[in-house]
Every structure is written in structure tokens, then in C-alpha cells.
Short mmCIF file of all heavy atoms in Angstrom, two decimals:
data_model
loop_
_atom_site.label_atom_id
_atom_site.label_comp_id
_atom_site.label_asym_id
_atom_site.label_seq_id
_atom_site.Cartn_x
_atom_site.Cartn_y
_atom_site.Cartn_z
N LEU H 1 -0.13 -11.55 -0.24
CA LEU H 1 0.01 -11.28 -1.69
C LEU H 1 -1.37 -11.06 -2.28
O LEU H 1 -1.43 -10.23 -3.26
CB LEU H 1 0.71 -12.51 -2.40
CG LEU H 1 2.27 -12.60 -2.00
CD1 LEU H 1 2.84 -13.83 -2.67
CD2 LEU H 1 3.00 -11.37 -2.35
N GLN H 2 -2.34 -11.84 -1.88
CA GLN H 2 -3.69 -11.62 -2.45
C GLN H 2 -4.07 -10.20 -2.19
O GLN H 2 -4.65 -9.57 -3.04
CB GLN H 2 -4.60 -12.65 -1.92
CG GLN H 2 -4.38 -13.96 -2.40
CD GLN H 2 -5.32 -15.08 -1.66
OE1 GLN H 2 -6.04 -14.67 -0.65
NE2 GLN H 2 -5.35 -16.20 -2.00
N HIS H 3 -3.95 -9.80 -0.89
CA HIS H 3 -4.56 -8.53 -0.53
C HIS H 3 -3.73 -7.40 -1.18
O HIS H 3 -4.36 -6.30 -1.49
CB HIS H 3 -4.54 -8.31 0.88
CG HIS H 3 -5.64 -9.09 1.60
ND1 HIS H 3 -6.97 -8.64 1.44
CD2 HIS H 3 -5.76 -10.14 2.36
CE1 HIS H 3 -7.86 -9.36 2.10
NE2 HIS H 3 -7.11 -10.31 2.71
N ILE H 4 -2.46 -7.40 -1.35
CA ILE H 4 -1.69 -6.28 -1.90
C ILE H 4 -1.93 -6.17 -3.35
O ILE H 4 -1.91 -5.00 -3.96
CB ILE H 4 -0.18 -6.40 -1.54
CG1 ILE H 4 0.47 -7.54 -2.16
CG2 ILE H 4 -0.02 -6.33 0.08
CD1 ILE H 4 1.97 -7.44 -2.04
N HIS H 5 -2.03 -7.31 -4.07
CA HIS H 5 -2.16 -7.07 -5.56
C HIS H 5 -2.84 -8.20 -6.34
O HIS H 5 -3.58 -7.93 -7.29
CB HIS H 5 -0.78 -6.88 -6.15
CG HIS H 5 -0.82 -6.10 -7.45
ND1 HIS H 5 -1.35 -4.92 -7.59
CD2 HIS H 5 -0.35 -6.55 -8.76
CE1 HIS H 5 -1.23 -4.45 -8.84
NE2 HIS H 5 -0.59 -5.47 -9.58
N TYR H 6 -2.67 -9.34 -5.90
CA TYR H 6 -3.23 -10.52 -6.69
C TYR H 6 -4.69 -10.42 -7.00
O TYR H 6 -5.20 -10.69 -8.06
CB TYR H 6 -2.81 -11.90 -6.10
CG TYR H 6 -1.40 -12.37 -6.36
CD1 TYR H 6 -0.37 -11.64 -6.11
CD2 TYR H 6 -1.27 -13.51 -6.98
CE1 TYR H 6 0.98 -11.98 -6.29
CE2 TYR H 6 0.03 -14.04 -7.41
CZ TYR H 6 1.16 -13.36 -6.86
OH TYR H 6 2.37 -13.78 -7.32
N THR H 7 -5.44 -10.14 -5.84
CA THR H 7 -6.91 -10.00 -5.99
C THR H 7 -7.21 -8.86 -6.96
O THR H 7 -8.35 -8.90 -7.69
CB THR H 7 -7.64 -9.89 -4.64
OG1 THR H 7 -7.24 -10.92 -3.86
CG2 THR H 7 -9.10 -9.78 -4.71
N HIS H 8 -6.47 -7.89 -6.90
CA HIS H 8 -6.72 -6.73 -7.88
C HIS H 8 -6.72 -7.17 -9.29
O HIS H 8 -7.45 -6.67 -10.14
CB HIS H 8 -5.67 -5.68 -7.70
CG HIS H 8 -5.75 -4.47 -8.54
ND1 HIS H 8 -6.98 -3.70 -8.90
CD2 HIS H 8 -4.86 -3.84 -9.36
CE1 HIS H 8 -6.71 -2.80 -9.80
NE2 HIS H 8 -5.51 -2.88 -10.07
N HIS H 9 -5.83 -8.12 -9.69
CA HIS H 9 -5.83 -8.56 -11.03
C HIS H 9 -6.99 -9.51 -11.29
O HIS H 9 -7.41 -9.49 -12.51
CB HIS H 9 -4.44 -9.31 -11.24
CG HIS H 9 -3.35 -8.41 -11.72
ND1 HIS H 9 -3.05 -8.43 -13.10
CD2 HIS H 9 -2.57 -7.67 -11.09
CE1 HIS H 9 -2.02 -7.49 -13.31
NE2 HIS H 9 -1.67 -7.04 -12.03
N SER H 10 -7.48 -10.28 -10.37
CA SER H 10 -8.63 -11.15 -10.64
C SER H 10 -9.88 -10.37 -10.61
O SER H 10 -10.87 -10.78 -11.12
CB SER H 10 -8.58 -12.25 -9.66
OG SER H 10 -8.80 -11.82 -8.21
N ALA H 11 -9.96 -9.23 -9.78
CA ALA H 11 -11.10 -8.41 -9.78
C ALA H 11 -10.76 -6.90 -9.99
O ALA H 11 -10.79 -6.16 -8.91
CB ALA H 11 -11.77 -8.63 -8.38
N PRO H 12 -10.29 -6.49 -11.17
CA PRO H 12 -9.62 -5.18 -11.35
C PRO H 12 -10.62 -4.01 -11.06
O PRO H 12 -10.11 -2.99 -10.95
CB PRO H 12 -9.33 -5.28 -12.82
CG PRO H 12 -10.06 -6.33 -13.40
CD PRO H 12 -10.31 -7.31 -12.33
N LYS H 13 -11.96 -4.18 -10.91
CA LYS H 13 -12.83 -3.04 -10.71
C LYS H 13 -13.24 -2.95 -9.22
O LYS H 13 -14.09 -2.07 -8.97
CB LYS H 13 -14.00 -3.19 -11.62
CG LYS H 13 -13.72 -2.95 -12.99
CD LYS H 13 -15.08 -2.92 -13.93
CE LYS H 13 -14.67 -2.60 -15.39
NZ LYS H 13 -14.09 -1.23 -15.55
N ASP H 14 -12.85 -3.81 -8.44
CA ASP H 14 -13.08 -3.86 -6.98
C ASP H 14 -12.40 -2.66 -6.32
O ASP H 14 -11.22 -2.75 -6.30
CB ASP H 14 -12.69 -5.07 -6.29
CG ASP H 14 -13.22 -5.27 -4.94
OD1 ASP H 14 -13.37 -4.24 -4.13
OD2 ASP H 14 -13.46 -6.43 -4.42
N LEU H 15 -13.15 -1.64 -5.85
CA LEU H 15 -12.46 -0.51 -5.19
C LEU H 15 -11.60 -0.66 -4.15
O LEU H 15 -10.69 -0.08 -3.89
CB LEU H 15 -13.61 0.50 -4.85
CG LEU H 15 -14.44 1.15 -6.03
CD1 LEU H 15 -15.55 2.03 -5.47
CD2 LEU H 15 -13.56 1.97 -6.81
N ASN H 16 -11.94 -1.76 -3.36
CA ASN H 16 -11.16 -2.11 -2.10
C ASN H 16 -9.68 -2.56 -2.48
O ASN H 16 -8.87 -2.65 -1.65
CB ASN H 16 -11.84 -3.14 -1.30
CG ASN H 16 -13.03 -2.65 -0.58
OD1 ASN H 16 -13.06 -1.58 -0.13
ND2 ASN H 16 -14.09 -3.42 -0.56
N TYR H 17 -9.45 -2.94 -3.75
CA TYR H 17 -8.26 -3.33 -4.21
C TYR H 17 -7.64 -2.47 -5.25
O TYR H 17 -6.47 -2.64 -5.66
CB TYR H 17 -8.40 -4.77 -4.67
CG TYR H 17 -8.65 -5.77 -3.75
CD1 TYR H 17 -10.04 -6.24 -3.60
CD2 TYR H 17 -7.80 -6.26 -2.80
CE1 TYR H 17 -10.44 -7.14 -2.62
CE2 TYR H 17 -8.09 -7.08 -1.71
CZ TYR H 17 -9.39 -7.63 -1.73
OH TYR H 17 -9.75 -8.47 -0.78
N ILE H 18 -8.36 -1.46 -5.76
CA ILE H 18 -7.82 -0.44 -6.61
C ILE H 18 -7.02 0.54 -5.76
O ILE H 18 -5.88 0.96 -6.02
CB ILE H 18 -8.96 0.37 -7.36
CG1 ILE H 18 -9.60 -0.61 -8.40
CG2 ILE H 18 -8.37 1.60 -8.02
CD1 ILE H 18 -10.79 -0.02 -9.12
N PHE H 19 -7.76 0.94 -4.57
CA PHE H 19 -6.95 1.88 -3.68
C PHE H 19 -6.21 1.09 -2.65
O PHE H 19 -6.74 0.17 -2.04
CB PHE H 19 -8.06 2.80 -2.92
CG PHE H 19 -8.71 3.72 -3.85
CD1 PHE H 19 -9.96 3.42 -4.42
CD2 PHE H 19 -8.20 4.87 -4.17
CE1 PHE H 19 -10.63 4.14 -5.27
CE2 PHE H 19 -8.91 5.79 -4.98
CZ PHE H 19 -10.12 5.48 -5.55
N ALA H 20 -4.90 1.53 -2.30
CA ALA H 20 -4.08 0.95 -1.31
C ALA H 20 -4.78 1.19 0.06
O ALA H 20 -5.21 2.30 0.29
CB ALA H 20 -2.74 1.46 -1.36
N GLN H 21 -4.83 0.17 0.97
CA GLN H 21 -5.50 0.33 2.10
C GLN H 21 -4.46 0.81 3.20
O GLN H 21 -3.35 0.67 3.03
CB GLN H 21 -6.01 -0.96 2.60
CG GLN H 21 -7.09 -1.41 1.61
CD GLN H 21 -7.75 -2.85 1.95
OE1 GLN H 21 -7.53 -3.43 3.00
NE2 GLN H 21 -8.45 -3.44 0.91
N PHE H 22 -5.06 1.41 4.32
CA PHE H 22 -4.27 1.93 5.42
C PHE H 22 -3.13 1.05 6.03
O PHE H 22 -2.13 1.46 6.28
CB PHE H 22 -5.19 2.39 6.51
CG PHE H 22 -5.96 3.71 6.29
CD1 PHE H 22 -7.38 3.66 6.25
CD2 PHE H 22 -5.23 4.80 5.93
CE1 PHE H 22 -8.07 4.90 5.98
CE2 PHE H 22 -5.85 6.03 5.64
CZ PHE H 22 -7.27 6.12 5.72
N TRP H 23 -3.53 -0.27 6.08
CA TRP H 23 -2.63 -1.15 6.75
C TRP H 23 -1.26 -1.28 5.95
O TRP H 23 -0.26 -1.69 6.38
CB TRP H 23 -3.13 -2.44 6.93
CG TRP H 23 -3.55 -3.28 5.75
CD1 TRP H 23 -4.70 -3.24 5.19
CD2 TRP H 23 -2.69 -4.20 5.00
NE1 TRP H 23 -4.69 -4.00 4.02
CE2 TRP H 23 -3.50 -4.60 3.89
CE3 TRP H 23 -1.38 -4.57 5.13
CZ2 TRP H 23 -2.98 -5.40 2.95
CZ3 TRP H 23 -0.97 -5.44 4.22
CH2 TRP H 23 -1.74 -5.91 3.02
N LEU H 24 -1.38 -0.89 4.65
CA LEU H 24 -0.16 -0.92 3.78
C LEU H 24 0.53 0.50 3.59
O LEU H 24 1.73 0.59 3.54
CB LEU H 24 -0.51 -1.57 2.39
CG LEU H 24 0.55 -1.81 1.36
CD1 LEU H 24 1.52 -2.87 1.98
CD2 LEU H 24 -0.07 -2.29 0.02
N THR H 25 -0.34 1.51 3.46
CA THR H 25 0.18 2.83 3.17
C THR H 25 0.72 3.59 4.44
O THR H 25 1.67 4.27 4.25
CB THR H 25 -0.97 3.68 2.56
OG1 THR H 25 -2.12 3.86 3.54
CG2 THR H 25 -1.39 3.26 1.20
N ILE H 26 0.20 3.30 5.57
CA ILE H 26 0.73 3.88 6.85
C ILE H 26 2.06 3.59 7.19
O ILE H 26 3.06 4.31 7.40
CB ILE H 26 -0.23 3.73 8.02
CG1 ILE H 26 -1.57 4.38 7.78
CG2 ILE H 26 0.41 4.33 9.28
CD1 ILE H 26 -1.60 5.83 7.48
N PRO H 27 2.41 2.21 7.18
CA PRO H 27 3.88 1.92 7.25
C PRO H 27 4.77 2.41 6.27
O PRO H 27 5.86 2.94 6.48
CB PRO H 27 3.87 0.22 7.19
CG PRO H 27 2.46 0.02 7.67
CD PRO H 27 1.56 1.05 7.10
N GLY H 28 4.26 2.54 5.01
CA GLY H 28 5.08 3.13 3.96
C GLY H 28 5.33 4.73 4.18
O GLY H 28 6.36 5.10 3.84
N LEU H 29 4.19 5.29 4.69
CA LEU H 29 4.35 6.73 5.02
C LEU H 29 5.40 6.97 6.04
O LEU H 29 6.20 7.81 6.04
CB LEU H 29 3.01 7.28 5.46
CG LEU H 29 2.97 8.76 5.83
CD1 LEU H 29 3.13 9.59 4.60
CD2 LEU H 29 1.58 9.06 6.46
N ILE H 30 5.37 6.07 7.18
CA ILE H 30 6.23 6.29 8.19
C ILE H 30 7.70 6.03 7.77
O ILE H 30 8.66 6.63 8.17
CB ILE H 30 5.93 5.34 9.49
CG1 ILE H 30 4.59 5.65 10.07
CG2 ILE H 30 7.03 5.28 10.40
CD1 ILE H 30 4.02 4.77 11.00
N PHE H 31 7.86 4.91 6.94
CA PHE H 31 9.17 4.63 6.45
C PHE H 31 9.81 5.73 5.57
O PHE H 31 10.98 6.14 5.72
CB PHE H 31 9.16 3.36 5.53
CG PHE H 31 10.39 3.06 4.74
CD1 PHE H 31 11.39 2.47 5.55
CD2 PHE H 31 10.56 3.50 3.45
CE1 PHE H 31 12.71 2.14 4.85
CE2 PHE H 31 11.82 3.09 2.81
CZ PHE H 31 12.84 2.54 3.52
N ASP H 32 8.92 6.42 4.79
CA ASP H 32 9.45 7.60 3.90
C ASP H 32 9.76 8.80 4.72
O ASP H 32 10.66 9.39 4.53
CB ASP H 32 8.23 7.89 2.90
CG ASP H 32 8.00 6.89 1.81
OD1 ASP H 32 8.92 6.18 1.61
OD2 ASP H 32 7.01 6.92 1.18
N LEU H 33 8.91 8.97 5.79
CA LEU H 33 9.14 10.05 6.69
C LEU H 33 10.52 9.90 7.42
O LEU H 33 11.35 10.87 7.55
CB LEU H 33 7.92 10.25 7.72
CG LEU H 33 8.11 11.31 8.86
CD1 LEU H 33 8.23 12.61 8.17
CD2 LEU H 33 7.08 11.05 9.91
N LEU H 34 10.75 8.73 7.93
CA LEU H 34 12.03 8.50 8.74
C LEU H 34 13.18 8.64 7.71
O LEU H 34 14.33 9.08 7.99
CB LEU H 34 12.06 7.10 9.31
CG LEU H 34 10.96 6.96 10.48
CD1 LEU H 34 11.00 5.47 11.02
CD2 LEU H 34 11.27 7.90 11.64
N LEU H 35 12.98 7.95 6.45
CA LEU H 35 14.10 8.10 5.42
C LEU H 35 14.46 9.45 5.08
O LEU H 35 15.62 9.90 5.01
CB LEU H 35 13.69 7.24 4.30
CG LEU H 35 14.81 7.16 3.09
CD1 LEU H 35 16.00 6.50 3.63
CD2 LEU H 35 14.12 6.34 1.95
N ALA H 36 13.31 10.23 4.78
CA ALA H 36 13.65 11.68 4.38
C ALA H 36 14.33 12.45 5.51
O ALA H 36 15.14 13.32 5.28
CB ALA H 36 12.19 12.27 4.03
N TYR H 37 13.90 12.20 6.74
CA TYR H 37 14.42 12.90 7.93
C TYR H 37 15.99 12.47 8.09
O TYR H 37 16.76 13.32 8.38
CB TYR H 37 13.68 12.51 9.23
CG TYR H 37 13.99 13.34 10.33
CD1 TYR H 37 13.62 14.56 10.53
CD2 TYR H 37 14.85 12.78 11.38
CE1 TYR H 37 13.97 15.36 11.72
CE2 TYR H 37 15.31 13.52 12.49
CZ TYR H 37 14.71 14.84 12.66
OH TYR H 37 15.11 15.52 13.76
N PHE H 38 16.29 11.26 7.80
CA PHE H 38 17.60 10.82 7.89
C PHE H 38 18.52 11.36 6.78
O PHE H 38 19.64 11.83 7.06
CB PHE H 38 17.68 9.32 7.88
CG PHE H 38 19.10 8.76 7.81
CD1 PHE H 38 19.86 8.68 8.90
CD2 PHE H 38 19.53 8.24 6.62
CE1 PHE H 38 21.21 8.16 8.82
CE2 PHE H 38 20.92 7.67 6.48
CZ PHE H 38 21.72 7.71 7.67
N ILE H 39 17.92 11.45 5.49
CA ILE H 39 18.69 11.93 4.34
C ILE H 39 19.00 13.33 4.47
O ILE H 39 20.06 13.81 4.09
CB ILE H 39 17.96 11.57 3.05
CG1 ILE H 39 18.01 10.09 2.85
CG2 ILE H 39 18.55 12.35 1.87
CD1 ILE H 39 17.05 9.72 1.58
N THR H 40 18.06 14.21 5.11
CA THR H 40 18.29 15.53 5.16
C THR H 40 18.95 15.91 6.43
O THR H 40 19.09 17.18 6.66
CB THR H 40 16.86 16.26 5.13
OG1 THR H 40 15.99 15.83 6.31
CG2 THR H 40 16.16 15.93 3.79
#
């Protein structure tokens, strides 16, 4: 929870928490890809 957002609120100008990191975005990208492929 700290890494995905809580630290962003305590340190809102820290670039490492402004931008979503790969360990969070890649699984989301794969999920969206599979969901889109299934829906279509």
C-alpha cells in the first residue's frame, strides 16, 4: 500500500511515486490485453 499510493501522499513530489512503476503497470497491461482479446 505504501508503494502504490500512500507514500505518494506523504511525499507528493517524489518522481518514483508520481509515475506508476513497471511492477504495477505491466500486470495491468497484460490484464487489459487479455480482457480486450476476450471481449472482442
Side-chain angles (χ1 to χ4, degrees):
L1 292 179
Q2 288 174 353
H3 279 291
I4 65 169
H5 203 59
Y6 276 60
T7 302
H8 175 51
H9 269 262
S10 62
K13 289 188 177 296
D14 189 327
L15 291 177
N16 291 319
Y17 296 99
I18 291 175
F19 294 95
Q21 299 175 15
F22 282 121
W23 64 269
L24 187 61
T25 56
I26 296 301
L29 179 68
I30 295 172
F31 174 80
D32 288 342
L33 177 63
L34 294 176
L35 181 62
Y37 188 76
F38 174 77
I39 290 175
T40 60

